[in-house]
Amino acid sequence: MTVQMTLTAVTLDCPDPPALAAFYQQATGLEPHPESNADFAGLTRGGGLFIGFQRVDDYRAPHWPEQSAPQQAHLDFAVEDVDEAEARLLELGAVKPDHQPGKDRWRVFLDPAGHPFCLVKG
């Protein structure tokens, strides 16, 4: 028997929740959650999407593509114009690593806390 579950949130560990929330807010246009604070910040949109950012003491950023500190998870974002989105994300503080395994299918970036995320044409 299958349990019927609806994914309502994704939460990322980080050293500075408000700063990482600000990066993703500028990148996605999601709205800051009104109860965000220095230890846990969130972004939301009508329809239930919630991305959370929780403070972790002694946070260790992922080392992508190496696995000495694994990525644990990553987010994928569909965009209309990948080149335009890339330019904006780099302005906001994202990093584009040299290793790009997706060729023309996707591009990998690292957010300011080091989490890998991908852009895909959508």
Side-chain angles (χ1 to χ4, degrees):
M1 181 166 128
T2 303
V3 176
Q4 295 297 314
M5 300 187 304
T6 300
L7 180 64
T8 59
V10 174
T11 301
L12 300 174
D13 293 348
C14 63
D16 186 346
L20 195 56
F23 168 80
Y24 279 104
Q25 192 275 325
Q26 291 175 27
T28 65
L30 293 171
E31 294 296 321
H33 191 276
E35 295 181 25
S36 294
N37 58 51
D39 291 320
F40 189 90
L43 299 174
T44 189
R45 175 177 60 206
L49 176 64
F50 183 89
I51 302 175
F53 310 93
Q54 65 186 5
R55 180 180 307 280
V56 171
D57 293 332
D58 301 320
Y59 172 76
R60 289 180 46 217
H63 294 177
W64 189 88
E66 307 160 16
Q67 294 297 308
S68 58
Q71 66 178 337
Q72 296 120 21
H74 76 269
L75 304 174
D76 291 340
F77 295 95
V79 296
E80 289 299 315
D81 185 320
V82 176
D83 293 329
E84 183 179 299
E86 175 179 324
R88 179 66 177 135
L89 289 166
L90 295 174
E91 288 175 5
L92 294 174
V95 172
K96 183 179 178 185
D98 292 333
H99 182 66
Q100 293 292 320
K103 305 214 187 277
D104 294 333
R105 297 175 300 180
W106 71 82
R107 292 186 199 162
V108 178
F109 297 88
L110 305 176
D111 70 22
H115 302 106
F117 67 94
C118 297
L119 293 183
V120 297
K121 173 88 171 129

